[in-house]
């Protein structure tokens, strides 16, 4: 038999899904890590990116923040995870993993949100400012809706990266689907290794699909386009 059929047989065996070390338990741990890290990364990156992108006088600070954020992508996540695990935070549950994954998720969130807000259509922004909108109204009602697709692209990128990278937590005694892969390596069970990788890949695709659907449904511009189309095709009085 080939590796893929063997991996499918492993996945369809009920005993591999039950128990503390089963796929179900590891999947729940993986989703927990992904959700917590993504929420924390959004809470850190998005307010800063919106503030920097909205203030024209803060462009220098924004460029500096983006460059520092992008430089952080060059730092290996596993190296950060190991250092945190061996340092003062070692042995404190999932905390080292969460910190490492949050640091990994911040760059795409910060970069996309900052660029989206700072590069919002200047004509629209100036027209809204001329209507007497306050800075807060301008950000909430004009700049964020215009930047929404790019912001969500950053969220989707960060989420998929976190789902894939969270498997490294197992190498530092953390939880998640990576434990299935490392257990397979430890027992020389290739089918289990491939099965674990397949679950991670499918989960990443599902997360991407759900967030893409959410972007489509929540896009503020989506509700305005049908009205604009109706107005454009309506016969002149």
């Amino acid at each position: 038999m080939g590796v893929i059929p063997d991996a499918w047989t492993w996945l369809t065996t009920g005993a591999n899904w039950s128990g503390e070390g089963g796929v179900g338990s590891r999947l729940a741990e993986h989703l927990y890590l992904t959700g917590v890290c993504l929420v924390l990364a959004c809470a850190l990156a998005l307010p800063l990116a919106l503030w920097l992108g909205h203030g024209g006088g803060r462009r220098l600070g924004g460029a500096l923040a983006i460059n520092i954020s992008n430089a952080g992508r060059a730092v290996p996540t596993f190296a950060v995870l190991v250092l945190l695990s061996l340092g003062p935070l070692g042995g404190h549950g999932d905390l080292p993993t969460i910190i490492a994954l949050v640091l990994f998720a911040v760059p795409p969130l910060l970069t996309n949100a900052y660029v989206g807000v700072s590069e919002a259509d200047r004509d629209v922004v100036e027209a809204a400012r001329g209507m007497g909108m306050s800075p807060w109204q301008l950000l909430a009602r004009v700049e964020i809706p215009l930047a929404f697709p790019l912001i969500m692209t950053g969220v989707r990128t960060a989420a998929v990266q976190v789902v894939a990278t969270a498997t490294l937590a197992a190498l530092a005694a953390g939880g998640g689907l990576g434990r299935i892969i490392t257990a397979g390596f430890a027992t020389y069970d290739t089918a289990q290794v491939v099965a674990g990788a397949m679950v991670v890949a499918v989960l990443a695709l599902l997360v991407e699909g759900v967030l893409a659907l959410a972007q489509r449904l929540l896009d503020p511009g989506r509700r305005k386009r049908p009205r604009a189309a109706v107005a454009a095709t309506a016969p002149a009085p």
Side-chain angles (χ1 to χ4, degrees), residues 10-11 17 23 27 163 177 180 194-204:
W10 191 94
L11 283 173
W17 285 80
V23 177
L27 180 60
V163 168
L177 293 170
I180 296 175
V194 175
M198 289 171 61
V199 175
V200 174
V202 171
L203 179 60

Side-chain angles (χ1 to χ4, degrees), residues 62-77 80 103-108 110-111:
L64 179 62
I66 297 303
N67 288 331
I68 293 175
S69 174
N70 288 335
R73 298 187 184 190
V75 179
T77 306
V80 175
L103 293 176
F104 183 63
V106 162
L110 181 61
T111 302

Side-chain angles (χ1 to χ4, degrees), residues 152-191:
M152 282 300 300
T153 298
V155 173
R156 289 163 55 187
T157 301
V160 173
Q161 288 180 348
V162 168
V163 168
T165 310
T167 55
L168 295 176
L171 300 179
L177 293 170
R179 294 292 291 270
I180 296 175
I181 298 174
T182 54
F185 278 121
T187 57
Y188 302 99
D189 189 342
T190 304

Side-chain angles (χ1 to χ4, degrees), residues 8-197:
W8 179 253
T9 300
W10 191 94
L11 283 173
T12 54
T13 301
N16 294 327
W17 285 80
S18 59
E20 184 178 348
V23 177
S25 176
R26 298 306 183 192
L27 180 60
E29 293 173 353
H30 207 93
L31 289 173
Y32 166 77
L33 284 174
T34 300
V36 170
C37 294
L38 189 60
V39 168
L40 290 176
C42 287
L44 289 173
L46 294 184
L48 177 61
L50 297 178
W51 178 69
L52 291 172
H54 175 67
R58 306 188 190 98
R59 292 296 172 85
L60 180 60
L64 179 62
I66 297 303
N67 288 331
I68 293 175
S69 174
N70 288 335
R73 298 187 184 190
V75 179
T77 306
F78 180 61
V80 175
L81 179 58
V82 170
L83 290 175
L84 290 172
S85 299
L86 297 177
L89 298 177
H92 288 67
D94 292 325
L95 185 57
T97 301
I98 291 174
I99 294 175
L101 291 177
V102 167
L103 293 176
F104 183 63
V106 162
L109 291 167
L110 181 61
T111 302
N112 281 44
Y114 170 74
V115 171
V117 173
S118 64
E119 299 298 327
D121 193 321
R122 290 297 98 189
D123 292 336
V124 177
V125 172
E126 291 303 322
R129 185 176 286 114
M131 294 171 60
M133 285 190 178
S134 66
W136 169 249
Q137 289 176 321
L138 188 65
L139 176 64
R141 298 173 60 181
V142 178
E143 290 176 331
I144 290 179
L146 289 174
F148 183 81
L150 199 54
I151 292 173
M152 282 300 300
T153 298
V155 173
R156 289 163 55 187
T157 301
V160 173
Q161 288 180 348
V162 168
V163 168
T165 310
T167 55
L168 295 176
L171 300 179
L177 293 170
R179 294 292 291 270
I180 296 175
I181 298 174
T182 54
F185 278 121
T187 57
Y188 302 99
D189 189 342
T190 304
Q192 182 173 341
V193 173
V194 175

